[in-house]
Amino acid sequence: MNHRQPSRATLLGVGFASVIVFLLAWEAACRTGIVDALFLPPPSAVAEKIVAMMADGTLLANVLASTRRVMTGFIAATVVAIPLGIVLGTSSYARAAFDPILSFLRPLPSMSWIPLSLLWFGISETQKYSIVFMGTFAPALVYVIEATRNVDPLLIRAARNLGASRWQVMREVILPASLPQILSGLKIILGLSWTCVISAELVAAREGLGFLIMNGKEFFQTEVVVLGMVMISVTVLVTDIVFRAIERKVLGWQA
């Protein structure tokens, strides 16, 4: 029996239609009183708030503040985690020394670092960067270690037999071979970075999407709360698209 696969356009149409039906059902539920608009505002109210905040520039300012914090903390964690992860992935002694520390740090959620970071850095931008760094460093390090350990040992032995030094093996063999898996892991860590920065902004911030959500909750402006949630999803989606483009560029040699 021949089953025709739906075209990409058909699948996109189905996805778009499902979103429209969901928004219409949500709007109808609010307007008919099934759902109290005070607790869950209709999409039209959220859209009006988005337009108003885009017009006065406050929405863009808050999005940029959160994005700057995410990217600063994420890049700092990446810069430290990649070389350290390669060293730990290729050295049994180094891994044995660092594994207990990593096992202690890895389960700690970003929220648990907030009290200490406030004591160390006060209510500052550095404190927000540190929360993202601390919440993403250990998971990023684990991804890099695993990616390094999965490199085919035959490639490493072949390079050593040809006279490559330890540094050359790391740079010319291990890093290129593990890069696809490292980038896949970092893509997940980038999403985690947003969780970290929202946690930080919910507690101590004067701008950012987390601050926007908390401020909306304080003044019972539920349309602002939903707006903040929507913008987090949109911003994460945009950063994911940008990261995929960078990934395709970096891994162009694989095509």
Side-chain angles (χ1 to χ4, degrees):
M1 194 172 180
N2 185 24
H3 293 284
R4 288 186 59 188
Q5 293 294 324
S7 65
R8 182 175 174 80
T10 302
L11 295 176
L12 286 174
V14 171
F16 181 74
S18 69
V19 172
I20 297 297
V21 170
F22 172 74
L23 291 176
L24 289 176
W26 178 3
E27 183 80 24
C30 293
R31 289 186 179 275
T32 56
I34 297 175
V35 174
D36 191 338
L38 187 63
F39 296 100
L40 182 63
S44 57
V46 177
E48 286 176 12
K49 196 68 182 177
I50 289 175
V51 172
M53 292 185 69
M54 284 184 70
D56 63 19
T58 53
L59 183 56
L60 182 61
N62 284 289
V63 169
L64 290 178
S66 292
T67 304
R68 183 184 67 246
R69 290 163 182 160
V70 164
M71 296 313 299
T72 303
F74 172 74
I75 291 172
T78 301
V79 167
V80 179
I82 289 179
L84 182 59
I86 292 175
V87 171
L88 296 182
T90 53
S91 169
S92 301
Y93 290 110
R95 201 161 53 250
F98 276 87
D99 257 354
I101 301 170
L102 190 57
S103 300
F104 171 76
L105 293 176
R106 190 171 52 181
L108 294 176
S110 58
M111 290 285 285
S112 66
W113 288 102
I114 291 176
L116 281 179
S117 66
L118 285 171
L119 289 172
W120 293 342
F121 305 112
I123 302 176
S124 64
E125 286 301 294
T126 306
Q127 185 262 340
K128 311 292 183 301
Y129 302 151
S130 69
I131 291 296
V132 178
F133 178 88
M134 293 168 186
T136 56
F137 171 69
L141 186 59
V142 170
Y143 272 112
V144 178
I145 292 173
E146 289 303 314
T148 304
R149 296 184 68 185
N150 287 336
V151 174
D152 189 346
L154 286 176
L155 293 174
I156 299 173
R157 280 203 294 270
R160 285 177 179 163
N161 288 338
L162 290 172
S165 65
R166 184 179 179 83
W167 165 246
Q168 286 174 321
V169 170
M170 283 189 181
R171 190 187 60 190
E172 304 293 341
V173 178
I174 295 176
L175 182 59
S178 60
L179 197 55
Q181 192 176 342
I182 290 175
L183 290 178
S184 296
L186 292 182
K187 194 161 49 185
I188 298 171
I189 299 299
L190 183 58
L192 177 63
S193 302
W194 279 95
T195 308
C196 299
V197 80
I198 297 302
S199 300
E201 291 174 349
L202 286 174
V203 176
R206 297 187 180 87
E207 61 178 353
L209 292 175
F211 162 78
L212 209 60
I213 292 172
M214 182 55 70
N215 203 43
K217 174 249 178 187
E218 293 293 330
F219 293 98
F220 227 90
Q221 296 176 324
T222 47
E223 69 276 12
V224 175
V225 175
V226 177
L227 177 154
M229 296 166 67
V230 170
M231 292 313 301
I232 290 170
S233 294
V234 171
T235 312
V236 171
L237 183 62
V238 170
T239 52
D240 188 62
I241 291 172
V242 172
F243 193 94
R244 285 173 188 272
I246 295 172
E247 188 179 20
R248 283 196 296 273
K249 186 78 174 175
V250 172
L251 300 179
W253 52 271
Q254 279 197 321

